[in-house]
Amino acid sequence: MDPLSVLKTLWTHKWVAMPMVVLTVLACAYGMFWAPRSYESSATFALAMPSVPTERELENDPELVALNADNPYLRWNDTSLLAQVVIARVSSNDVAKELEGRGLSTDFTLVAPAGTTSGMLTITATDTSPENAANTVAFLAEAFTGVLREVQKVNNADDLYLVEAMPISGPTPPEEVFSSRLRSTAVLGVVGGLLLFGAVSLAQSVSESRRRGREAAAEAVVEDTTPEVTTPEPPPTTVEPGEDGGGGRRHAREAGGGVETQLRDFPPILDERGLPQPQHASR
């Protein structure tokens, strides 16, 4: 269907389309100016590898030798594995339940910033309340540092051999997420458009059904009023016997009242005495 046909259909059913257009515009205006807002706060941390004592330092300081250096995450040259473990622990259901119990937001992410290595992690929380967004980031930052320390203490390694979380920024002041406003407005617009075309399609279907009904009724009326062609009945005739009893005359009355006589031979009908009887031709 080309755009002109669509516009023509909308104009044909304007009394159905106009209310839907007005409602869609009002819904989009509500989504843009009065719908609940989303606010976002974030905090960024850097995972710093510990400064492991050298062989010379161990020889000169016997106390360093007595320290427990069994941190399994130091066996890798980077912090990628440690970061994945911490992300999985912080994103678990236990943390989400604790957030719900405190009345905080459960809409958060803990990922590496775009374009950076695994040595940095950013916590981002989103909520309709700016205070809740900031409080959620603060709670998650505390939970993040606690989990980071806990997973490295699996073999009771001393603090000297632990990877530390160094705050880089945040928690930042909550800021409105403008994309959420646009997203809600777009969703309302799409829903309104679907309702508009659904209402117009229904009106078009009803209109077509009524038109077909009127056409069928008109055809029925035409058939009822068409004159029926009938074959005129022949005029009534009577037959008189001939003088010799072997034939007869047929008299047919004309429409004007006259009499038309036709001659036709008929076999004589004799009675019991052998005398011819008069004949009357049926219609």
Side-chain angles (χ1 to χ4, degrees):
M1 183 179 291
D2 58 279
L4 291 179
S5 299
V6 173
L7 293 176
K8 183 179 179 181
T9 303
L10 291 175
W11 180 252
T12 302
H13 304 286
K14 55 183 175 293
W15 299 116
V16 176
M18 288 178 63
M20 300 304 301
V21 171
V22 172
L23 289 176
T24 302
V25 171
L26 292 177
C28 292
Y30 170 78
M32 179 61 69
F33 300 107
W34 296 287
R37 303 288 180 252
S38 295
Y39 297 90
E40 184 178 273
S41 180
S42 62
T44 302
F45 295 88
L47 300 181
M49 296 291 290
S51 179
V52 179
T54 62
E55 293 292 336
R56 181 179 294 277
E57 290 175 341
L58 291 175
E59 292 176 357
N60 296 332
D61 191 349
E63 295 181 357
L64 294 178
V65 179
L67 296 178
N68 184 359
D70 190 8
N71 181 359
Y73 296 98
L74 293 181
R75 299 169 189 171
W76 285 264
N77 295 326
D78 56 28
T79 59
S80 59
L81 178 61
L82 179 60
Q84 294 301 320
V85 171
V86 174
I87 290 173
R89 289 284 299 274
V90 175
S91 302
S92 65
N93 292 331
D94 295 337
V95 176
K97 291 179 180 178
E98 191 169 355
L99 287 171
E100 290 180 353
R102 294 172 178 263
L104 300 176
S105 173
T106 57
D107 184 9
F108 69 91
T109 58
L110 176 58
V111 294
T116 61
T117 62
S118 58
M120 296 180 65
L121 290 174
T122 297
I123 302 171
T124 304
T126 306
D127 195 81
T128 55
S129 169
E131 293 79 10
N132 266 10
N135 294 336
T136 301
V137 170
F139 173 81
L140 291 174
E142 183 178 352
F144 168 75
T145 55
V147 170
L148 180 65
R149 179 180 177 83
E150 179 184 347
V151 296
Q152 295 181 93
K153 282 284 189 177
V154 63
N155 294 328
N156 296 320
D158 284 288
D159 293 348
L160 181 62
Y161 295 94
L162 299 182
V163 177
E164 296 181 356
M166 299 176 58
I168 302 299
S169 63
T172 60
E175 296 181 356
E176 181 186 347
V177 183
F178 191 74
S179 60
S180 65
R181 183 190 303 194
L182 294 178
R183 184 165 53 250
S184 61
T185 303
V187 169
L188 291 173
V190 170
V191 172
L194 293 176
L195 292 177
L196 168 64
F197 282 99
V200 172
S201 298
L202 180 60
Q204 181 72 9
S205 177
V206 172
S207 177
E208 289 292 332
S209 178
R210 290 179 177 176
R211 182 183 61 81
R212 288 193 294 268
R214 288 193 299 267
E215 291 178 354
E219 291 177 359
V221 170
V222 170
E223 291 177 357
D224 291 341
T225 57
T226 301
E228 184 177 355
V229 179
T230 58
T231 302
E233 298 181 358
T237 59
T238 59
V239 178
E240 296 182 359
E243 295 180 356
D244 56 356
R249 291 189 178 90
R250 173 178 291 177
H251 301 280
R253 295 186 178 274
E254 296 180 347
V259 177
E260 179 183 357
T261 302
Q262 296 179 353
L263 297 180
R264 183 177 178 184
D265 292 332
F266 295 92
I269 300 176
L270 304 179
D271 59 8
E272 296 177 354
R273 295 175 296 175
L275 299 176
Q277 297 295 320
Q279 300 181 19
H280 299 278
S282 61
R283 186 188 300 178

